[in-house]
Amino acid sequence: MKFPVFIHGMLKTESFCGVIRPDKDAVALAIRVPAERLPEQSRLELRYSPTLAMAMIDALPYMVDYPYGCTEQTLNRFLPTVITQKILLNMEVNLKDIRDKQTNLNAQEIGDDKERAKQWGGVVKPYKNPVYDEETVRDMVKAGLEKLLSMRCSDGGWGWFSGWGECSYPHTTAVVVHGLQIARANDVAIVPGTIEGGIAWLKNCQANEVQKLKNAATKTKPWKDRADALDAFVYMV
């Protein structure tokens, strides 16, 4: 028997975005098709969407349903949803309209949107994306905040997990406090004292690191010659 042998290729995606200014009626994008390809074994697909809103919303369920539960993953499950919803509301984008019209907005689908809807039998998506429902988002954020609060170590900082053998880490604590600051800036109510307690832990950590820098002059242990990226991150938070 004879079988065709194909050279292994790759799927490459190039993403572009742009706007049409009020005084213009068209915009152009240059697309580079690699000359190194084998034309007879290549396919070019062009997919487009009139808004980035759909792309933002489509990514959220994967973060919300992420199966693990350490401190940073708990934070990163609800924070992107909070930010996305705030952006869409600031843009005066109606979330319900996006849900109803997503056959128009999904750049991964081609063809007439009404025909596609008929083919699906009216089924839009197999999941209920939480960003469409403000009450669901509030419940998700509340649950995430409660879990983060329960994962706080007894000294006020955060490690990977709390409880027996717990240990707070500068990077983890800084990431959580920074995330909570972002959530608060996006109109999320934070339990009083949560952020302040984390900042107090970071200040104490920073004071210890500054003392190490001072100890370098006399070579007194513990000491270090210079501040590092983690020191800068803690200081920023």
Side-chain angles (χ1 to χ4, degrees):
M1 300 177 67
K2 294 183 178 181
F3 298 92
V5 178
F6 296 99
I7 298 175
H8 182 68
M10 64 177 290
L11 178 64
K12 184 176 183 180
T13 301
E14 296 281 0
S15 300
F16 307 90
C17 67
V19 297
I20 299 178
R21 299 297 179 184
D23 58 338
K24 305 290 184 180
D25 58 6
V27 65
L29 292 173
I31 300 176
R32 178 185 176 275
V33 180
E36 300 81 3
R37 76 194 188 286
L38 296 178
E40 68 277 7
Q41 296 181 21
S42 303
R43 185 177 71 224
L44 174 66
E45 293 184 6
L46 178 63
R47 297 174 178 176
Y48 58 92
S49 171
T51 175
L52 291 176
M54 195 66 229
M56 294 168 64
I57 292 173
D58 261 359
L60 292 176
Y62 301 98
M63 288 181 272
V64 174
D65 294 333
Y66 199 68
Y68 305 113
C70 75
T71 302
E72 291 184 60
Q73 291 160 352
T74 300
L75 173 73
N76 292 334
R77 275 208 297 266
F78 78 87
L79 191 58
T81 304
V82 171
I83 296 173
T84 299
Q85 178 174 264
K86 178 68 172 177
I87 291 173
L88 295 176
L89 291 176
N90 287 345
M91 293 170 60
E92 298 183 356
V93 174
N94 188 298
L95 303 183
K96 183 178 182 301
D97 287 347
I98 294 179
R99 178 185 59 195
D100 295 341
K101 295 293 185 180
Q102 62 178 319
T103 53
N104 260 342
L105 301 179
N106 194 343
Q108 297 298 313
E109 297 164 353
I110 59 177
D112 182 79
D113 61 303
K114 295 183 176 62
E115 289 300 318
R116 291 200 306 271
K118 290 179 182 178
Q119 293 168 4
W120 301 334
V123 178
V124 177
K125 289 281 185 180
Y127 56 78
K128 174 180 170 61
N129 194 314
V131 80
Y132 296 138
D133 187 335
E134 291 188 32
E135 184 176 350
T136 303
V137 172
R138 283 195 296 269
D139 291 342
M140 183 180 67
V141 172
K142 181 181 178 182
L145 288 172
E146 289 177 349
K147 186 172 182 181
L148 273 180
L149 191 58
S150 71
M151 297 178 78
R152 185 168 58 174
C153 298
S154 55
D155 59 5
W158 278 268
W160 279 7
F161 297 96
S162 61
W164 183 85
E166 66 181 19
C167 180
S168 296
Y169 297 104
H171 182 267
T172 307
T173 302
V175 166
V176 172
V177 174
H178 185 48
L180 293 176
Q181 290 171 335
I182 294 174
R184 183 171 61 183
N186 284 272
D187 302 333
V188 175
I190 308 297
V191 176
T194 304
I195 294 178
E196 292 77 8
I199 290 177
W201 190 95
L202 291 174
K203 284 184 175 180
N204 182 63
C205 173
Q206 181 175 257
N208 291 332
E209 296 304 303
V210 169
Q211 186 59 51
K212 290 179 184 178
L213 293 172
K214 293 179 179 178
N215 291 346
T218 58
K219 303 300 181 183
T220 303
K221 295 183 178 181
W223 60 275
K224 63 181 185 180
D225 292 320
R226 61 184 179 182
D228 55 26
L230 179 57
D231 294 322
F233 182 39
V234 170
Y235 177 74
M236 182 200 74
V237 174

